[in-house]
Amino acid sequence: MAATRGRPREFDVDAALDRAIEVFWRQGYEGTSLSDLTEAMGINRPSLYNAFGNKEETFKRAVDRYAVVDMAYVDAALAAPTAYEVAERYLKDNVAAVTTPGRPPGCLSIQGGLAGSPEDDRVIRFLAERRQAGEARFAERFARAVADGDLPASEDPADLAKYLSTVSAGLAVQAAAGATRAQLMGVVTRALRSFPR
């Protein structure tokens, strides 16, 4: 067996990314410095560069992990048996996620890119592309619902997906501004009245 070259990594990459998520979530991409990241992650700059690349790549890796860990409810919602249940489960689980005690309020993918300088354009576009990909998954699911007769043929799957995405983003912004879980569940109840059954 060949000997392993180089020093072994002395930190847990996933745990470090979880701490980076917290920093980006609270401070946004632009408001987060490399010093903020290395301090929160408990590593030095060379270790950050070696493991993750630069700040932008660290952010992208953090968003990818956030999507898998903190937004796993999306897959469960998309698997619901009817389009209405997809919308209901997604929005209710979204409220629970954006108001989780012990976590920053709101959503990393919204908070992370609300403000950005022209130099951050690639990050803003990255987040927009991620949101568009999420919308496309819902549009595909609603297209199947139309084909199956679960939704009327007059419904536009892309419009329904945009509606859910817009409500979800609004929930995240409201949570970050201090809205309570109960208040946001009230918004979900009202929003679902507009969703076709």
Side-chain angles (χ1 to χ4, degrees):
M1 185 168 131
T4 305
R5 293 180 180 235
R7 273 179 82 190
R9 190 171 279 143
E10 297 176 3
F11 64 94
D12 181 320
V13 171
D14 287 340
L17 278 175
D18 288 341
R19 291 189 291 274
I21 286 169
E22 291 271 341
V23 175
F24 284 126
W25 198 342
R26 289 185 193 283
Q27 299 175 201
Y29 177 79
E30 186 175 21
T32 298
S33 69
L34 282 173
S35 295
D36 295 331
L37 287 172
T38 55
E39 182 179 333
M41 297 165 86
I43 59 177
N44 59 30
R45 283 189 189 206
S47 293
L48 183 140
Y49 290 132
N50 185 45
F52 305 109
N54 58 20
K55 174 182 160 182
E56 180 180 333
E57 291 307 314
T58 304
F59 180 74
K60 289 178 178 178
R61 294 265 307 268
V63 169
D64 287 344
R65 179 155 173 81
Y66 174 81
V68 170
V69 175
D70 294 279
M71 294 188 68
Y73 64 89
V74 174
D75 291 334
L78 286 165
T82 68
Y84 182 85
E85 289 171 289
V86 168
E88 179 180 42
R89 185 163 187 178
Y90 172 64
L91 292 178
K92 287 182 176 180
D93 287 351
N94 179 250
V95 167
V98 300
T99 59
T100 299
R103 299 299 307 256
C107 171
L108 170 65
S109 61
I110 301 294
Q111 310 308 110
L114 278 179
S117 66
E119 297 82 38
D120 298 333
D121 184 59
R122 286 194 316 269
V123 169
I124 303 298
R125 279 187 284 128
F126 166 75
L127 291 171
E129 288 164 6
R130 295 296 298 258
R131 286 191 293 274
Q132 288 166 359
E135 276 183 35
R137 293 181 68 200
F138 280 95
E140 181 182 310
R141 174 64 181 85
F142 296 147
R144 284 199 324 268
V146 169
D148 294 344
D150 175 43
L151 285 173
S154 59
E155 289 295 342
D156 183 324
D159 283 351
L160 288 175
K162 178 64 78 180
Y163 175 72
L164 277 190
S165 175
T166 302
V167 172
S168 171
L171 293 170
V173 170
Q174 289 289 322
T180 67
R181 183 173 288 190
Q183 289 171 327
L184 296 179
M185 283 299 186
V187 172
V188 168
T189 298
R190 182 169 291 276
L192 288 172
R193 287 183 202 149
S194 300
F195 197 90
R197 281 181 175 261

